Amino acid sequence: GENVEQHPSTLSVQEGDSAVIKCTYSDSASNYFPWYKQELGKRPQLIIDIRSNVGEKKDQRIAVTLNKTAKHFSLHITETQPEDSAVYFCAAEFGNEKLTFGTGTRLTIIP
Amino acid sequence: ETGVTQSPTHLIKTRGQQVTLRCSSQSGHNTVSWYQQALGQGPQFIFQYYREEENGRGNFPPRFSGLQFPNYSSELNVNALELDDSALYLCASSLDRANEQFFGPGTRLTVL
């Protein structure tokens, strides 16, 4: 079935260090993988996405890598700042533009 | 450019009642997807509407229904509410079923 697994569920990182969140997906036909950031009580915000014809994409301190053969993709945040603290969700598109989300990673940046 | 809006912000209902939630898509977008987000979980896909037609449905019972209007705003209706329906309901809009979906602030539904 359509499934996205996300690890870790919680992550604490010292300010200035890097954070990495990993996801695996079940359907090899998936070709779109967005990442959302959700602060407490707020809407999920799209922070970066990647399509299957690209192996890596970067936007300032945020990067996403995709390994289609292994069916996994990762979010990398460098030089973390307190405002990066939030819950991060990965997702994969399983046909019909339906997004299936991971269970989320609560990232805490320690000042 | 106007972002995605939803109403109401919060809603309290009792078991067995019916509820209607509303979503206005981002300016220029013609596709609306609805998601249910239980506490501590990721959003779960309910269904998507594209140009007023249902375009895909997740694993939700028929008592979850929706529609999309000519101006591309959308409604989610839930009949015979159950306690487990308590959740944050999010809508997301996109252009031509494109993958980039932008979320509204959500409606927090509590069923007592």
Side-chain angles (χ1 to χ4, degrees):
Chain A
E2 302 160 350
N3 190 42
V4 176
E5 293 190 2
Q6 183 172 348
H7 301 280
S9 57
T10 61
L11 179 61
S12 293
V13 171
Q14 206 71 36
E15 183 178 352
D17 287 350
S18 296
V20 180
I21 303 170
K22 299 180 179 181
C23 289
T24 59
Y25 58 97
S26 58
D27 186 354
S28 59
S30 299
N31 57 24
Y32 176 67
F33 308 91
W35 285 88
Y36 286 86
K37 174 183 179 183
Q38 188 173 30
E39 297 176 65
L40 190 63
K42 297 193 175 180
R43 72 187 78 189
Q45 286 193 305
L46 178 66
I47 56 171
I48 196 168
D49 56 14
I50 192 168
R51 299 178 193 274
S52 59
N53 58 346
V54 176
E56 183 174 359
K57 183 177 178 180
K58 191 173 181 180
D59 182 4
Q60 299 183 357
R61 298 187 296 109
I62 295 174
V64 57
T65 58
L66 171 65
N67 183 327
K68 282 222 75 177
T69 303
K71 292 190 285 187
H72 67 70
F73 56 113
S74 300
L75 177 71
H76 305 253
I77 306 174
T78 59
E79 301 172 17
T80 53
Q81 301 168 3
E83 53 265 37
D84 294 330
S85 294
V87 178
Y88 291 80
F89 292 98
C90 63
E93 179 258 336
F94 289 101
N96 265 353
E97 292 75 42
K98 167 188 172 182
L99 291 180
T100 296
F101 284 79
T103 49
T105 297
R106 180 172 300 279
L107 175 64
T108 302
I109 307 302
I110 305 166
Chain B
E1 187 179 86
T2 307
V4 182
T5 60
Q6 290 185 244
S7 63
T9 306
H10 297 88
L11 205 51
I12 299 175
K13 292 285 189 179
T14 56
R15 272 187 307 173
Q17 286 189 311
Q18 179 266 343
V19 68
T20 297
L21 311 182
R22 295 177 176 83
C23 172
S24 290
S25 59
Q26 183 170 311
S27 175
H29 286 182
N30 54 19
T31 305
V32 173
S33 303
W34 284 93
Y35 294 85
Q36 179 194 69
Q37 187 176 24
L39 205 59
Q41 300 295 317
Q44 285 204 306
F45 178 75
I46 303 174
F47 42 58
Q48 180 184 86
Y49 279 85
Y50 169 65
R51 293 184 181 272
E52 303 179 59
E53 297 286 332
E54 187 177 289
N55 179 53
R57 187 180 183 93
N59 295 325
F60 281 81
R63 58 189 186 84
F64 284 79
S65 64
L67 56 134
Q68 187 178 34
F69 300 98
N71 66 355
Y72 303 128
S73 65
S74 177
E75 283 184 357
L76 164 65
N77 298 291
V78 187
N79 294 322
L81 284 167
E82 301 177 0
L83 296 179
D84 285 348
D85 295 334
S86 294
L88 180 68
Y89 287 85
L90 296 160
C91 75
S93 77
S94 54
L95 176 61
D96 287 338
R97 299 173 296 171
N99 306 123
E100 294 176 341
Q101 298 185 12
F102 297 92
F103 283 88
T107 294
R108 172 75 60 190
L109 173 64
T110 302
V111 182
L112 303 175

